[in-house]
Coordinates of all heavy atoms in Angstrom, one line a residue:
A73 N -25.0 -0.4 3.5 CA -24.5 -1.0 2.2 C -23.0 -0.9 2.1 O -22.4 -1.4 1.1 CB -25.2 -0.4 1.0
T74 N -22.3 -0.3 3.1 CA -20.9 -0.2 3.1 C -20.3 -1.6 3.0 O -19.2 -1.8 2.4 CB -20.4 0.5 4.3 OG1 -20.9 1.9 4.4 CG2 -18.9 0.6 4.4
A75 N -20.9 -2.6 3.5 CA -20.4 -3.9 3.4 C -20.3 -4.4 2.0 O -19.4 -5.0 1.6 CB -21.4 -4.9 4.2
I76 N -21.3 -4.0 1.2 CA -21.3 -4.3 -0.3 C -20.1 -3.6 -0.9 O -19.5 -4.1 -1.8 CB -22.6 -4.0 -0.9 CG1 -23.8 -4.8 -0.3 CG2 -22.6 -4.3 -2.4 CD1 -25.1 -4.5 -0.8
A77 N -19.9 -2.3 -0.5 CA -18.9 -1.5 -1.1 C -17.5 -2.1 -0.9 O -16.6 -2.1 -1.7 CB -18.9 -0.1 -0.5
F78 N -17.3 -2.7 0.3 CA -16.1 -3.4 0.6 C -15.9 -4.6 -0.3 O -14.8 -5.0 -0.7 CB -16.0 -3.8 2.1 CG -15.4 -2.8 3.0 CD1 -16.2 -2.2 4.0 CD2 -14.1 -2.4 2.9 CE1 -15.7 -1.2 4.8 CE2 -13.6 -1.5 3.7 CZ -14.3 -0.9 4.7
V79 N -17.0 -5.3 -0.6 CA -16.9 -6.5 -1.5 C -16.5 -6.0 -2.9 O -15.7 -6.6 -3.5 CB -18.3 -7.2 -1.5 CG1 -18.2 -8.3 -2.5 CG2 -18.6 -7.8 -0.1
V80 N -17.1 -4.9 -3.3 CA -16.8 -4.4 -4.7 C -15.3 -4.0 -4.7 O -14.6 -4.4 -5.7 CB -17.7 -3.2 -5.0 CG1 -17.2 -2.5 -6.3 CG2 -19.2 -3.6 -5.1
A81 N -14.9 -3.3 -3.7 CA -13.5 -2.9 -3.7 C -12.5 -4.1 -3.6 O -11.5 -4.1 -4.2 CB -13.2 -2.0 -2.5
G82 N -13.0 -5.1 -2.8 CA -12.2 -6.3 -2.7 C -12.1 -7.0 -4.1 O -11.0 -7.6 -4.4
V83 N -13.1 -7.0 -4.9 CA -13.1 -7.6 -6.2 C -12.2 -6.9 -7.1 O -11.4 -7.5 -7.9 CB -14.5 -7.7 -6.8 CG1 -14.5 -8.1 -8.3 CG2 -15.4 -8.6 -6.0
V84 N -12.2 -5.6 -7.1 CA -11.3 -4.8 -7.9 C -9.8 -5.1 -7.5 O -9.0 -5.3 -8.4 CB -11.5 -3.3 -7.7 CG1 -10.5 -2.4 -8.4 CG2 -12.9 -2.9 -8.2
C85 N -9.5 -5.2 -6.2 CA -8.2 -5.5 -5.8 C -7.9 -7.0 -6.2 O -6.7 -7.3 -6.5 CB -8.1 -5.3 -4.3 SG -8.1 -3.6 -3.7
G86 N -8.9 -7.8 -6.1 CA -8.7 -9.2 -6.5 C -8.2 -9.4 -7.9 O -7.4 -10.2 -8.2
L87 N -8.8 -8.6 -8.8 CA -8.4 -8.6 -10.2 C -7.0 -8.3 -10.4 O -6.2 -9.0 -11.1 CB -9.3 -7.7 -11.0 CG -10.8 -8.0 -11.1 CD1 -11.5 -6.8 -11.8 CD2 -11.0 -9.3 -11.8
A88 N -6.5 -7.2 -9.7 CA -5.1 -6.8 -9.7 C -4.3 -7.9 -9.1 O -3.2 -8.2 -9.5 CB -4.9 -5.5 -9.1
A89 N -4.8 -8.5 -8.0 CA -4.0 -9.5 -7.2 C -3.7 -10.7 -8.1 O -2.6 -11.3 -8.0 CB -4.7 -9.9 -6.0
L90 N -4.6 -11.1 -8.9 CA -4.4 -12.3 -9.8 C -3.3 -12.0 -10.8 O -2.5 -12.9 -11.1 CB -5.7 -12.6 -10.5 CG -6.8 -13.2 -9.7 CD1 -8.2 -13.2 -10.4 CD2 -6.5 -14.6 -9.2

Side-chain angles (χ1 to χ4, degrees):
T74 298
I76 301 177
F78 271 114
V79 173
V80 172
V83 169
V84 173
C85 290
L87 295 173
L90 290 169

